[in-house]
Amino acid sequence: MSQTRHVPVMLQRCLDLLAPALEAPGPQAPVVVDCTLGLGGHSEALLSAFPSVRLIALDRDKEALRLSGERLAPYGDRATLVHAVYDELPEVLDRLGTPKVQGVLFDLGVSSMQLDEADRGFAYAQDAPLDMRMDQTTGIGAAEVLNTYPPGELVRILRAYGEEKQAKRIVSAIVREREKEPFSNSARLVELIRDSLPQAAKRTGGNPAKRTFQALRIEVNGELTVLERAIPAAVRSLAVGGRIAVLSYHSLEDRLVKQVFAAGAATTAPPGLPVVPERYQPRLKLLTRGAELPTEEEVAENRRAAPARLRGAQRIREEER
Ligand SMILES: C[S@@+](CC[C@H](N)C(=O)[O-])C[C@H]1O[C@@H](n2cnc3c(N)ncnc32)[C@H](O)[C@@H]1O
C-alpha cells in the first residue's frame, strides 16, 4: 500500500472544528460519526485526539470497512463500523441506540484506495473495466450506464454532474461507438472523448475525460441524490452544541452543503415580526466563513487535497419547526 493513500485531507482543521463538541464534559462519552470512513485516516485521528469519544463510522464500500477495521482494531469497542450508505444515518443511529450525536464528519468522494485499485474503474489514467461502483455488491456499473441510457439522459448527466460543455458532442460519439460494440473498458472511452473534442477544448482543464468520468461516477453511485438527503439528516442528528464538518471535492457537492447550512443558519420568520419567536430562530451557527481551502503546503504534499472545500456548522437549537 503506498504512503499517499493515507494522507487525510485538512485533518487538523477538521479536528479543530469538531473539538469543542467532543471535549465538552458530560455524563456520557461523546459520540462522533464519520460518515465516510474510507481508509480510516480521519477516524483514527478522532479516536486518538479525543480519548473519551466513541466513534461510529459508515462506508458503503466493504473493502474500506475491512481495511479500516484492521487499522482501528487497537481502539476496541470505542469504534463501531457499519456497512451503510450515509443517508441511512438516522436508521443506523437508532439501531445503535444513539439518535443524537456530538459530531459528524463527511469526507466526500472517492477514496485513494478506490482510485488506486485500477480494476475498480474510477481512474481515467489506467485502462480498467468501467465499473465505478463504491459498493460492488449492488447497482449497475458505468459501462451499463454508457451502453443503455438514452442519449438525452447521458447529455443531461454529463452537463449536470460533469459540468461538461461538450456533452452533446461526446454523447454523439458514444452512441455511434456503442452501436458498433458496447463499452467495457475505460481506455476506449478516454480515447473516444479525446478524439471527439475540438482542439480548443483539449487545451484547458487537464485530461479531457476527467469531467465525463466524474459525471459517470456521480450517476453510478447516486452521489448527489444521497448527499441531498444525508446532510439535512446529519444536521438533525446533532445534539444541541454538536458540530458537523464537511469536506467536498467539487462545486456541486459544496453548493449543496452550503445551501443546507445557510438554510439552517437563517431565520424562517415571516418578514416584519417585531420579535422573532423561538420556533423561527436559526438552528445552526456557521463555523467557517465561506468554504475553507487547504494550504498551499498541504496541496504540495498531497495533490488529492487540491480541490477540497471545508465547511463547518454547530447546532444551536432543537428542531422546533
Ligand atoms: C474520501 S474517502 C474517505 C477517506 C477517509 N476520510 C480517510 O481519511 O481515510 C470517501 C469514502 O466515503 C465512501 N462513501 C462515498 N459515498 C458514500 C455514501 N453515500 N455512503 C457511505 N459511504 C460513502 C467511499 O466508499 C469512500 O471510502
Side-chain angles (χ1 to χ4, degrees):
M1 210 182 276
S2 71
Q3 282 300 313
T4 53
R5 289 179 166 202
H6 283 302
V7 189
V9 173
M10 296 181 82
L11 176 61
Q12 192 53 48
R13 189 61 188 125
C14 291
L15 297 179
D16 290 346
L17 275 175
L18 297 175
L22 302 182
E23 283 168 340
Q28 277 169 348
V31 177
V32 64
V33 186
D34 183 347
C35 289
T36 48
L37 172 67
L39 292 171
H42 287 92
S43 277
E44 179 165 38
L46 286 163
L47 286 163
S48 133
F50 307 109
S52 65
V53 305
R54 277 184 45 219
L55 169 86
I56 297 170
L58 276 49
D59 206 294
R60 70 196 302 183
D61 183 339
K62 284 197 167 156
E63 182 61 6
L65 288 161
R66 190 184 65 74
L67 291 169
S68 295
E70 289 169 14
R71 180 174 185 174
L72 302 181
Y75 295 92
D77 61 8
R78 285 181 62 207
T80 307
L81 311 190
V82 186
H83 183 227
V85 180
Y86 47 55
D87 65 344
E88 296 168 309
L89 180 66
E91 293 82 14
V92 171
L93 293 181
D94 276 345
R95 215 164 54 226
L96 296 174
T98 47
K100 294 283 175 196
V101 299
Q102 283 62 45
V104 177
L105 174 72
F106 286 85
D107 177 16
L108 300 172
V110 193
S111 75
S112 16
M113 182 260 295
Q114 288 162 339
L115 282 172
D116 289 347
E117 304 283 313
D119 61 353
R120 308 274 309 251
F122 287 102
Y124 43 79
Q126 293 143 312
D127 188 25
L130 278 164
D131 187 337
M132 300 196 199
R133 284 171 303 162
M134 289 185 191
D135 180 350
Q136 292 186 301
T137 62
T138 175
I140 64 166
E144 199 169 333
V145 170
L146 277 179
N147 293 329
T148 62
Y149 275 29
E153 190 56 10
L154 285 175
V155 171
R156 185 191 68 76
I157 289 168
L158 260 56
R159 282 199 184 131
Y161 301 158
E163 301 183 282
E164 174 55 87
K165 293 195 184 72
Q166 306 290 336
K168 267 199 157 157
R169 202 185 272 262
I170 293 173
V171 170
S172 304
I174 288 172
V175 171
R176 223 173 25 245
E177 280 298 307
R178 77 184 185 185
E179 277 162 13
K180 291 185 207 150
E181 194 191 334
F183 284 90
S184 60
N185 273 45
S186 55
R188 183 166 160 231
L189 177 63
V190 172
E191 203 183 303
L192 179 75
I193 294 171
R194 196 171 285 129
D195 291 348
S196 65
L197 291 183
Q199 276 305 326
K202 276 187 264 196
R203 278 195 289 271
T204 52
N207 190 316
K210 185 174 156 188
R211 287 178 295 276
T212 299
F213 271 62
Q214 172 179 304
L216 287 171
R217 194 199 85 207
I218 291 177
E219 171 63 17
V220 162
N221 296 290
E223 288 178 34
L224 293 174
T225 326
V226 174
L227 190 64
E228 220 168 314
R229 288 193 293 265
I231 301 289
V235 167
R236 278 194 299 277
S237 75
L238 286 177
V240 172
R243 290 174 162 227
I244 175 167
V246 186
L247 275 164
S248 312
Y249 293 86
H250 55 77
S251 54
L252 302 166
E253 290 170 345
D254 184 51
R255 200 176 307 151
L256 218 150
V257 177
K258 177 181 167 180
Q259 282 165 358
V260 175
F261 283 8
T267 145
T268 54
L273 288 189
V275 178
V276 178
E278 177 75 15
R279 69 177 187 285
Y280 296 134
Q281 301 275 3
R283 57 196 188 287
L284 283 184
K285 180 175 95 182
L286 302 184
L287 300 172
T288 42
R289 285 180 58 136
E292 291 185 8
L293 312 182
T295 60
E296 279 175 24
E297 292 78 45
E298 177 168 358
V299 174
E301 278 168 25
N302 178 14
R303 65 188 169 77
R304 284 176 182 158
R309 301 283 175 272
L310 176 65
R311 292 180 191 267
Q314 180 178 18
R315 176 112 206 177
I316 52 172
R317 200 166 271 105
E318 293 290 355
E319 201 87 23
E320 260 201 66
R321 314 181 240 178

